[in-house]
């Protein structure tokens, strides 16, 4: 009699548990994490720990690739190599995975989704990443002392300059002709320049269940900060928001499709400097964790 009662009781409890606690919330689908420029996986350890603390059992794949100086290698090299890792993880977890990229890592992550459209990433979170390009030299002074915006194009829009990741997404509003002529990366992944891969590039993003774009006006590094949400300068330094830009209006990479299906979320968080996005656990709790599943 005791045993029966007990098992009925535990059955009820289990039932109630399922009702109030969808099973997924115990542990998330695996999360692949890509760090920013001039750092490595250690910079993303705090965020990994937070995910595992709130959702024990979640597998984290925090890429150690292209750490430190090697993070300046061309974007396509990094996309290819980290992308192959991501595809192996995708294959191992057919139920789907999550992807999170910080700063340059968020642009790499986005390009991986496009270059490998057979991925099974459900949610992609871009944490203050130069998705529409970069026109600010603040973070470059470490390795290019004295570099200023006005003349940086001379360095980046050249064969040599395209051998750096930053050159690949340098987007000078005053030198768009050179940008299209020299840039081997951003015009292609943004489908601003059509290629044999354009439809795949669109498919890889459009198939997401959720695209989360996080950034803010006090970032100080991503310039303009709206680039973190696909906004950018037009001709001069007037910023045009994502929804008013051609990339959105022509649905070049699926942003409009995602938005219309309520799968595109943007967060503008004031008061956060660039080096804080991945270290501020309040922010992680508020804007990242709720989107993982
Ligand atoms: C398409 O992508 C493949 C693999 O990255 C690359 O080898 C090829 O050059 C690309 N083609 C075009 C037209 O961009
Ligand atoms: C920038 O361009 C826009 C549109 O052409 C124009 O309205 C605005 O006055 C320009 N701003 C400056 C600072 O040149
Ligand atoms: C951390 O994030 C919270 C929530 O967005 C924000 O209010 C706070 O100012 C941030 N703190 C720092 C040091 O960035």
């Amino acid at each position: 009699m005791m045993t029966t009662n007990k098992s009925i009781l535990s059955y009820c409890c289990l039932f109630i548990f399922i009702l109030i606690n969808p099973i997924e919330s115990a542990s998330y689908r695996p999360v692949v994490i890509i760090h920013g420029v001039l750092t490595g996986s250690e910079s993303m350890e705090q965020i990994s720990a937070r995910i595992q603390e709130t959702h024990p059992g979640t597998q984290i794949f925090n890429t150690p690739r292209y750490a430190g100086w090697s993070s300046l290698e061309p974007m396509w090299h990094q996309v290819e190599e980290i992308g192959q890792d991501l595809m192996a993880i995708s294959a191992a977890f057919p139920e789907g995975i999550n992807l999170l990229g910080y700063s340059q890592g968020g642009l790499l992550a986005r390009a991986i989704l496009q270059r490998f459209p057979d991925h099974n990433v459900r949610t992609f979170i871009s944490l203050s990443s130069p998705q529409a390009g970069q026109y600010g030299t603040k973070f470059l002074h470490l390795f290019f002392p004295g570099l200023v915006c006005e003349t940086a194009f001379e360095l980046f829009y050249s064969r040599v300059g395209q051998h750096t990741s930053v050159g690949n997404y340098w987007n000078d509003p005053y030198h768009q002709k050179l940008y299209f002529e020299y840039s081997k990366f951003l015009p292609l992944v943004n489908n601003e320049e059509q290629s044999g891969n354009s439809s795949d590039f669109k498919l890889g993003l459009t198939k997401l269940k959720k695209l989360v774009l996080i950034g803010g006006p006090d970032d100080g590094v991503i310039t303009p900060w709206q680039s973190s949400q696909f906004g950018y300068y037009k001709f001069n330094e007037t910023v045009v928001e994502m929804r008013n830009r051609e990339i959105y209006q022509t649905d070049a990479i699926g942003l409009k499709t995602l938005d219309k299906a309520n799968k595109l979320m943007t967060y503008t968080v004031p008061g956060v400097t660039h080096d804080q996005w991945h270290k501020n656990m309040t922010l992680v709790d508020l804007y990242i964790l709720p989107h993982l599943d």
Side-chain angles (χ1 to χ4, degrees), residues 76 80 115 188 194-198 201:
W76 283 125
E80 212 56 38
R115 160 67 184 93
L188 292 167
Q194 294 298 307
S195 74
N197 293 327
S198 291
F201 286 171

Side-chain angles (χ1 to χ4, degrees), residues 189-202:
V189 289
N190 283 353
N191 280 347
E192 295 173 304
E193 192 179 304
Q194 294 298 307
S195 74
N197 293 327
S198 291
S199 58
D200 272 355
F201 286 171
K202 183 172 178 178

Side-chain angles (χ1 to χ4, degrees), residues 149-163:
C149 272
E150 290 70 24
T151 51
F153 76 92
E154 293 170 354
L155 169 66
F156 291 136
Y157 297 157
S158 67
R159 263 166 208 269
V160 173
Q162 286 301 306
H163 285 288

